[in-house]
Amino acid sequence: MLGHILKSPGFRKYFANTSWMMGEKFIRMGLNLFVGILVARYLGPSRFGLLSSAVSMVALFAVFGTLGLDDILTRNLVQEPADRDFLLGTSFFLRAVGSVFVFGAASFLSLVVSGDWTGTALVMIIAAGNVLLSFSVIQFFFLSEVRARYPSLALFASVIVSSVIKLILILVKASVVWFAWAIVTEYVILSIMLYHYYAMSGIRIRDWSFSGKTAVCLLKDSWPMIFSGLFAMVFTRVDQVMIKAILGNEAVGEYSIAVTMTEAWYVIPIVITTSLFPMIINARQTDQKIYHDRLQHLYDLTIWMGIGLAFVISLSSEWLVELLLGSAYGNSGRVLSILVWNLLFAYMSIMNSKWLVAENKQHILLFINPLGALLNVILNLILIPRLGILGAALATLLTQAITAHLIFAFIRNVSPVFQFHVRSFLIFFRLIKIRAS
């Protein structure tokens, strides 16, 4: 049976698709982590904190640039391939308009909150480059057709160019502003490469069309993702904004390097779930048992990967930070030992969102994410003044545990999510039961 599955064209297609995405993501993860550490060492905690604060400020509003359309667009392209040009053209227009809003909102908030002209300049540069990411709708076209090779190559090229530029900036001892431009360069290369591969496929962007009807349909499905995504960004990024306001740029730098070393590992479940999402959608339309089995296997894989990585990194966190960054980031090791356990709940959250989109129940995030945002702000206000950046790490971990796991036990129409979690935690008992039978 297993041999038949492994030899099937469908398996080989999805395996090749996942392999491209995994290869690209691992290379990006390695380069971003390696170059990020070098940038952090060069800039020092204060200037690195300033740059990280700017990235976080833009990230707070980034959902208005994507409009929560990523999974919705992939799903609709799978289900309605004949509407490709309307879906892509309308999504591109909506994302471009949203990105302009991101620029204005992030720039204004930065100026009001910090009054720091250098920090605001960094925000404006990064937010302006964010407009170019409207072209990433092309990526979801390729993903819907299980052709991850092309977006993977585009993403690979963009991170290579950006990494080389950052290394050159370190060598010439450039100011922090130039590192913001290096981030924008990554967006430029990505957009050019995606356009190139789309044109190579024999399809023309000039055929894209905006449709008011399509826009209404897309936004009708994605608006819960927009607002839930906004609140999700609040409880994942507001900690750095609050640390800057309460403790200053140097504390942000120490905290953000731990965030960087944790979030680098988020790519694994993102790659797996994004690549296999079309397969899950197809299974839901044809066979409910296969659909649920595939979801459970993905939950098993992602949850236990999160536990394993968190355990290993937590034990070696202080040694790892000292080795890679030196004594200037002395407090980051203890922060990392706490923050890295977010991997477990972040991996859960990624799978949860896929299930919600597949079931068209993404509206439930309108309750969960605002609750998470409020909870995280309150916990940060309580813990940061008392425990410093360790308090921010604890606040984030507690918030993630509640919003990615515990809360699903108390909401009836999404209770299967909690059941998936429990079955994953009990995987060894399940294996014993299967072997005994």
Side-chain angles (χ1 to χ4, degrees):
M1 179 67 178
L2 179 61
H4 175 70
I5 294 173
L6 294 177
K7 292 177 182 179
S8 68
F11 175 84
R12 291 199 299 268
K13 180 180 180 181
Y14 283 106
F15 179 77
N17 196 60
T18 304
S19 297
W20 270 105
M21 294 181 71
M22 286 292 283
E24 173 265 317
K25 292 297 183 186
F26 273 115
I27 292 172
R28 281 173 61 85
M29 178 183 74
L31 275 175
N32 283 331
L33 190 57
F34 173 72
V35 175
I37 288 170
L38 292 179
V39 170
R41 289 183 69 108
Y42 165 69
L43 292 177
S46 183
R47 289 192 297 165
F48 185 69
L50 188 64
L51 181 63
S52 298
S53 296
V55 172
S56 295
M57 192 71 73
V58 176
L60 281 176
F61 297 97
V63 68
F64 291 108
T66 63
L67 293 174
L69 291 172
D70 295 359
D71 288 337
I72 304 295
L73 180 58
T74 303
R75 183 194 67 189
N76 287 7
L77 285 168
V78 170
Q79 295 176 342
E80 305 160 13
D83 294 336
R84 179 195 64 211
D85 292 331
F86 286 120
L87 288 167
L88 293 175
T90 304
S91 298
F92 175 83
F93 176 80
L94 292 174
R95 291 182 65 149
V97 172
S99 295
V100 173
F101 172 80
V102 171
F103 174 83
S107 301
F108 177 76
L109 182 63
S110 176
L111 194 57
V112 169
V113 171
S114 67
D116 184 339
W117 286 104
T118 302
T120 301
L122 295 177
V123 169
M124 293 177 70
I125 292 168
I126 296 169
N130 198 61
V131 177
L132 294 169
L133 292 181
S134 304
F135 282 98
S136 65
V137 296
I138 297 172
Q139 176 181 356
F140 301 103
F141 160 71
F142 284 121
L143 292 178
S144 73
E145 296 206 334
V146 198
R147 290 196 287 166
R149 173 184 178 182
Y150 300 113
S152 295
L153 288 171
L155 288 161
F156 176 69
S158 67
V159 76
I160 287 288
V161 173
S162 176
S163 298
V164 169
I165 290 173
K166 289 174 184 176
L167 293 175
I168 292 172
L169 292 175
I170 293 172
L171 290 174
V172 300
K173 302 186 184 305
S175 70
V176 67
V177 174
W178 287 103
F179 289 89
W181 284 111
I183 294 172
V184 173
T185 302
E186 185 170 346
Y187 302 157
V188 172
I189 300 300
L190 175 61
S191 300
I192 291 172
M193 294 298 293
L194 285 174
Y195 175 84
H196 169 69
Y197 286 123
Y198 191 75
M200 277 182 56
S201 297
I203 315 172
R204 301 176 302 180
I205 283 183
R206 71 169 72 106
D207 292 332
W208 287 0
S209 299
F210 175 81
S211 165
K213 181 180 178 181
T214 302
V216 170
C217 291
L218 287 171
L219 292 175
K220 181 180 178 181
D221 284 345
S222 72
W223 73 266
M225 305 295 284
I226 297 172
F227 289 100
S228 65
L230 174 63
F231 288 112
M233 276 299 171
V234 169
F235 77 70
T236 57
R237 294 297 179 183
V238 76
D239 47 4
Q240 296 186 46
V241 175
M242 294 178 71
I243 289 170
K244 180 178 180 179
I246 298 171
L247 303 176
N249 287 328
E250 186 169 339
V252 179
E254 291 181 321
Y255 183 81
S256 61
I257 196 63
V259 172
T260 299
M261 295 176 74
T262 299
E263 291 184 348
W265 298 98
Y266 286 8
V267 300
I268 299 174
I270 291 174
V271 168
I272 294 172
T273 57
T274 301
S275 176
L276 298 180
F277 189 55
M279 180 181 70
I280 292 172
I281 294 295
N282 286 330
R284 187 180 184 277
Q285 294 174 322
T286 56
D287 192 311
Q288 285 292 309
K289 185 180 184 305
I290 293 176
Y291 167 64
H292 285 105
D293 286 346
R294 286 176 177 176
L295 280 169
Q296 186 63 65
H297 294 329
L298 282 175
Y299 268 109
D300 294 344
L301 178 62
T302 53
I303 284 175
W304 281 98
M305 278 196 303
I307 292 173
L309 285 169
F311 181 76
V312 172
I313 297 172
S314 182
L315 287 179
S316 59
S317 58
E318 294 193 45
W319 170 81
L320 196 60
V321 169
E322 177 69 25
L323 175 68
L324 298 175
L325 292 152
S327 58
Y329 290 85
N331 293 323
S332 300
R334 288 184 297 164
V335 174
L336 179 61
S337 67
I338 298 170
L339 210 55
V340 74
W341 283 99
N342 277 327
L343 289 178
L344 167 60
F345 301 110
Y347 285 18
M348 281 183 178
S349 184
I350 290 166
M351 276 301 303
N352 296 346
S353 67
K354 297 297 182 185
W355 182 86
L356 290 170
V357 170
E359 295 289 327
N360 203 26
K361 293 182 178 180
Q362 57 269 20
H363 61 275
I364 201 68
L365 295 175
L366 286 173
F367 166 72
I368 294 174
N369 288 347
L371 176 64
L374 178 62
L375 179 61
N376 197 30
V377 169
I378 292 172
L379 289 174
N380 274 307
L381 286 172
I382 295 171
L383 296 176
I384 291 176
R386 290 169 172 78
L387 301 174
I389 55 178
L390 288 176
L394 284 170
T396 299
L397 182 59
L398 289 171
T399 302
Q400 288 275 31
I402 292 170
T403 57
H405 174 55
L406 292 177
I407 199 169
F408 286 92
F410 302 98
I411 306 175
R412 181 176 299 177
N413 67 338
V414 293
S415 58
V417 169
F418 188 76
Q419 294 168 17
F420 283 127
H421 296 173
V422 172
R423 285 176 59 81
S424 291
F425 288 134
L426 299 176
I427 187 172
F428 297 108
F429 294 100
R430 287 165 44 210
L431 292 174
I432 292 172
K433 183 178 179 181
I434 292 172
R435 182 178 290 272
S437 62

